[in-house]
Amino acid sequence: MLRLEKLTKTYKTGDQALKSVDLDIPEGQVLALIGPSGAGKSTLIRCINRLVEPTSGQVFLGGTELTHLSAGALRRERRRMGMIFQEYALVERLTVMENVLSGRLGYVGFWRSFLRRFPQPDVDEAFRLLDRVGLLAMADKRADELSGGQRQRVGICRALIQNPAVLLVDEPTASLDPKTSRQIMRLICELCRERGLAAIINIHDVALAQMFVQRVIGLRFGAIEFDGPPKDLTPDV
Ligand code: ADP
Ligand code: ADP
């Protein structure tokens, strides 16, 4: 579903954030990306959606190679990547429902589109998703009235309403308390299983990763130094 070949990123500052990373993620597989701060985890995720331009190497989503796409084609491919962020990236003044529906619009032309009515199937799907994550009663609340865990649930719904092929998840629990973090990780992993979605979850907390995923990638100095089931992790990874 998602394949990285010799993916390399050297920033203008000379930082070698990724050194020829090869990675193959089959359909439906959820993997956790762990490693110390500065290992290259964020860079890896951002090279996939090209928020960061890779220096060399290739990224395949399904059969499509992403690093050479034009702006228009890239916009279409990005619709197949659901993003979930550490700080949720909700629009605070909009309602929960509107934030979820914004996932149908992409990040460009978003405000303008609110002047139009949403198609009923999108609204129905948004209600189904909110129900699934336990936020149905909050649909008309403003995003800034929610707790951190509730916000992340909205972020999850917004990513899923795109009907993505893959989820890119960047530190989803870094701003949450331990109990809420477990709930959010469980929810993300359950939803991926239900929908057969592949996901990369960039996560600091190794113990949390071990609880929920079958495959862990350990990154250090921009290279993969561990790839396997969590039970094979040694304490120094
Ligand atoms: P992680 O997400 O694992 O903490 P990052 O991908 O953020 O790692 O960073 C990997 C390396 O690349 C670090 O050395 C970091 O300082 C460097 N880096 C990240 N972003 C930039 C940038 N925009 N410009 C220059 N160097 C960067
Ligand atoms: P993260 O928690 O995602 O690893 P960081 O605190 O490493 O975030 O970086 C925050 C922002 O600064 C990011 O946009 C990252 O790309 C950029 N950045 C990180 N390291 C450097 C660096 N050495 N030089 C320039 N920009 C950097």
Side-chain angles (χ1 to χ4, degrees):
M1 178 51 60
L2 186 64
R3 195 166 84 246
L4 313 182
E5 282 183 10
K6 296 191 169 59
L7 193 66
T8 297
K9 175 65 189 182
T10 307
Y11 286 103
K12 287 198 195 74
T13 51
D15 283 291
Q16 286 189 290
L18 294 176
K19 299 170 188 163
S20 196
V21 170
D22 291 311
L23 184 60
D24 201 338
I25 307 169
E27 204 171 322
Q29 187 174 72
V30 176
L31 68 78
L33 193 58
I34 63 169
S37 185
K41 305 184 296 297
S42 302
T43 301
L44 189 144
I45 288 201
R46 290 176 201 178
C47 280
I48 294 171
N49 62 18
R50 274 181 57 188
L51 289 177
V52 165
E53 287 296 331
T55 307
S56 63
Q58 294 181 306
V59 178
F60 295 88
L61 177 62
T64 311
E65 206 285 306
L66 304 182
T67 62
H68 294 102
L69 291 181
S70 65
L74 177 62
R75 207 173 305 130
R76 279 194 298 279
E77 290 303 316
R78 276 190 181 143
R79 306 289 303 141
R80 301 168 65 207
M81 300 183 240
M83 293 283 299
I84 296 174
F85 305 93
Q86 173 179 343
E87 297 291 346
Y88 328 117
L90 303 183
V91 182
E92 300 293 336
R93 295 143 81 76
L94 296 183
T95 67
V96 164
M97 186 56 155
E98 288 166 334
N99 270 285
V100 174
L101 284 168
S102 73
R104 294 293 299 167
L105 303 167
Y107 303 101
V108 183
F110 155 87
W111 291 102
R112 219 174 331 135
S113 306
F114 264 107
L115 300 173
R116 299 200 303 264
R117 257 179 66 82
F118 276 96
Q120 194 58 42
D122 289 352
V123 176
D124 293 344
E125 174 66 1
F127 276 125
R128 268 195 298 277
L129 284 165
L130 285 171
D131 192 21
R132 173 63 184 83
V133 305
L135 284 185
L136 199 50
M138 310 291 273
D140 294 324
K141 287 258 191 294
R142 269 171 50 147
D144 55 11
E145 297 178 69
L146 305 184
S147 69
Q150 291 172 334
R151 284 165 187 240
Q152 195 54 292
R153 288 166 198 266
V154 177
I156 291 167
C157 292
R158 180 187 52 196
L160 291 177
I161 204 169
Q162 277 178 237
N163 199 18
V166 56
L167 275 186
L168 305 176
V169 189
D170 202 358
E171 294 280 4
T173 66
S175 308
L176 303 174
D177 64 65
K179 179 158 175 267
T180 310
S181 295
R182 282 194 298 278
Q183 291 169 344
I184 291 294
M185 269 299 277
R186 179 176 299 119
L187 187 60
I188 292 172
C189 294
E190 278 176 4
L191 285 163
C192 285
R193 211 173 313 128
E194 287 167 22
R195 295 172 167 243
L197 259 177
I200 301 186
I201 306 177
N202 170 0
I203 186 152
H204 237 80
D205 185 335
V206 178
L208 195 54
Q210 285 176 311
M211 268 183 244
F212 294 106
V213 305
Q214 275 76 54
R215 183 181 180 194
V216 173
I217 300 291
L219 212 57
R220 191 184 291 260
F221 301 124
I224 292 178
E225 65 160 23
F226 177 88
D227 180 356
K231 66 174 172 53
D232 292 350
L233 275 171
T234 49
D236 61 318
V237 177

